Each structure stands twice: as C-alpha cells, then as structure tokens.
Amino acid sequence: MTAPEPVERTPGPAWARRRAAARRAWGEFTRHRAGVLGLGVLVLVIALAALAPLITDADGVDVTRATGGRLEPPGGRYWLGTDESGRSVLLLVLWGARISLLVGLSATLLSIAIGTVVGILTGHFGGWGSALLMRLTDFFLVLPSLVLAIALSTVIGPGVGTIVLAIGVTSWPSAARLVRAQTLGVEARPYIERSRALGGGHLHVIGKHVLPGVLPLVLVNTTLAVGTAIVAESTLAFLGLGDPVAISWGSMLRSASNSGAVTAGAWWYLVPPGLAIAVVVLAFTLCGRAMESVLNPRLRER
C-alpha cells in the first residue's frame, strides 16, 4: 500500500479577507503623508538604536575611557561635541535611544494591557464589581499620574524597571475608559445577542466579538500613548529617579543641567537629547493620527 499523498491546505476565506483588509488599510495609511513621514522616522530611530552596539564602539560611553575634552564644541572629531566627561554627545544620543524607547514601549504596553483588561471586564460583566473597578479608575484618573509615578519611584527605588512600573500602573485609567465605552458599544450590537442565544459563553463573546471590536482602538491608543510614556520617562530620569548608570535622553538632560552646560553655553549638550525626544514623540503622534483616520471611517470621510 502506498502512503497517501499529503493534502495541501489552502488558506480559508477568512484569511483572504484579513489580507485584503490589511492591504486596504496599508493603502489608506500611505495616503497620509504625515503618517508615512512619522513611520519613516520611527523606523530609522529604532534601527539606529538596535544597531548601536554594531555600528559604534561601546567603550565610547565609558567614562573611564573618554578621550575628548570637557564640553568640547562640535567639530570634525566629535560632530555633536562632548559632555562633561569627554564622551561624544552623538554616541550618547544613539545609546540613550535604546533605554528611552525600551522604557516608553514597555510602560505603554503595561498600561494598555491593564486598561484593556479593566475596560473589557467592566463593560462586559457590569454589576457591583465593575462599579468598584470604575471608582478605582476614577480615583487614578483624578490624581496626577506624574506625581503618582514620582511617589512610586521614590518608594521602590531608582531603576529602569521602576520607571516602567511607575508609568505603567499610573497611566492606564484613560485606556480603561476608552475600552469600556467601546465594549459597551460592541455589546449593544445584535450579533452579540444571537451569539448568547446560541449558547456562547463569556469567553466566547469576549474572545470572538468584543476583543476584535476594541483592538483597533487599543492599537491607536497604544501608538499615541508611547510618546507620552517617553516624555514621562525623560521627566523621571531628569529628576534622578532612573538608573544612574543607564544612559537615556532624560539622564543626559539631567547630566547637562548638573554639569553647568547651561551657564557654559554648551548648547550641543542640551539640544540633541531634547530634540530627539521631541522628534520621536511627534513621529509617534503622526503615526497614531494616521492610524486613527484609517481605522475610523468617520474621520476617513472627513
């Protein structure tokens, strides 16, 4: 007897529809020049940050191996000058992007995950448990998130993980509110009632209907929240609540302030990290606005 020939599995119509929808979304996204520009800037910055150990010498960020002069102005040897220890500011900006982007993305994912879970649970189940969660959300929403992050960082101790945790656990209420409103809108649709009438349980309704309905909003909110998280990380690092050894854009601004770069007129030590923060935050905002226009038909019609 001969072995049966393997049957080639072809993708079903659902996958074909998803690929077609993804192509349409990408085509709509490319129509937004600002969004494409922001995406290009983000790809460039992320690539430079990821390849920093390969394209630069890690010894250059070591204080004990610095070869430049103190606050040396830009020139042929150091394009963006040096810091108070004689290290290249350009090299510090490249390596600082790694910590700033890592903390911003990690804190955003943590806050969005908490907000999504809380928003879906409160919108789907209701009852006294949901009311209690929403009162807790209102409590965190009223208090300034930066003040809470500073207090939490002070209690736990300085460090990169502390900043991620501080930003993540204090910036989720806005995401929870948005996801809850979207969940209530999805729950009111007729196919949810049909799914329940056919025996669909809570996990089926949430996994098959509610979660796909709120994912576009979560994706857009994630893109827009990364910029806020990067600014918060820079603020906490500037206040000295980050890892004193790690190099980030916020710690560079703190070092520039403490070393007297302002009074010495060393603009090349202050402008590059500040400009990097502004450019990356603007790039994330442009991408988020473009994605919001793509995923929201009302905005697309406007």
Side-chain angles (χ1 to χ4, degrees):
M1 296 178 63
T2 58
E5 297 182 357
V7 179
E8 296 183 0
R9 295 183 178 181
T10 58
W15 285 103
R17 290 195 299 268
R18 291 172 184 173
R19 287 196 299 267
R23 287 194 296 268
R24 289 195 300 270
W26 173 250
E28 185 67 28
F29 182 86
T30 54
R31 294 177 55 187
H32 297 268
R33 297 181 180 178
V36 174
L37 176 62
L39 180 61
V41 172
L42 290 179
V43 170
L44 178 61
V45 172
I46 293 174
L48 291 175
L51 297 176
L54 301 177
I55 62 178
T56 62
D57 187 6
D59 294 336
V61 297
D62 190 352
V63 178
T64 60
R65 300 184 179 181
T67 58
R70 184 181 186 276
L71 297 178
E72 184 178 333
R77 186 181 179 187
Y78 299 105
W79 293 355
L80 294 181
T82 62
D83 65 348
E84 75 281 3
S85 301
R87 296 176 296 177
S88 171
V89 174
L90 177 59
L91 190 63
L92 293 176
V93 170
L94 290 178
W95 281 85
R98 297 169 62 87
I99 297 298
S100 295
L101 291 176
L102 177 63
V103 173
L105 291 172
S106 301
T108 300
L109 291 178
L110 178 60
S111 65
I112 293 297
I114 297 175
T116 301
V117 172
V118 173
I120 291 179
L121 292 180
T122 55
H124 177 76
F125 288 101
W128 65 269
S130 298
L132 182 62
L133 281 176
M134 290 312 300
R135 299 293 77 78
L136 180 64
T137 303
D138 294 337
F139 172 77
F140 277 97
L141 197 61
V142 171
L143 295 178
S145 59
L146 183 59
V147 176
L148 291 177
I150 293 174
L152 186 60
S153 300
T154 305
V155 172
I156 299 177
V160 175
T162 300
I163 291 183
V164 172
L165 184 63
I167 298 174
V169 300
T170 56
S171 58
W172 59 268
S174 58
R177 279 287 185 180
L178 291 174
V179 173
R180 180 178 182 272
Q182 186 72 6
T183 301
L184 292 175
V186 174
E187 292 275 352
R189 295 174 183 174
Y191 61 81
I192 299 294
E193 294 294 334
R194 290 196 296 266
S195 178
R196 289 173 175 169
L198 293 174
H202 295 296
L203 291 178
H204 175 80
V205 173
I206 293 176
K208 294 293 184 179
H209 302 294
V210 176
L211 190 58
V214 303
L215 275 182
L217 178 64
V218 170
L219 182 61
V220 172
N221 194 37
T222 301
T223 308
L224 294 174
V226 173
T228 304
I230 291 177
V231 174
E233 182 276 332
S234 302
T235 303
L236 294 176
F238 181 78
L239 295 176
L241 299 176
D243 189 348
V245 180
I247 301 173
S248 68
W249 293 333
S251 64
M252 289 182 63
L253 292 175
R254 174 180 173 82
S255 299
S257 177
N258 293 337
S259 63
V262 177
T263 56
W267 57 267
W268 57 87
Y269 194 11
L270 293 167
V271 173
L275 186 61
I277 295 172
V279 169
V280 171
V281 171
L282 179 60
F284 273 110
T285 303
L286 292 177
C287 285
R289 295 303 181 188
M291 291 174 59
E292 186 179 16
S293 178
V294 171
L295 298 175
N296 192 337
R298 298 178 179 178
L299 294 178
R300 188 164 60 247
E301 290 174 359
R302 294 180 183 178

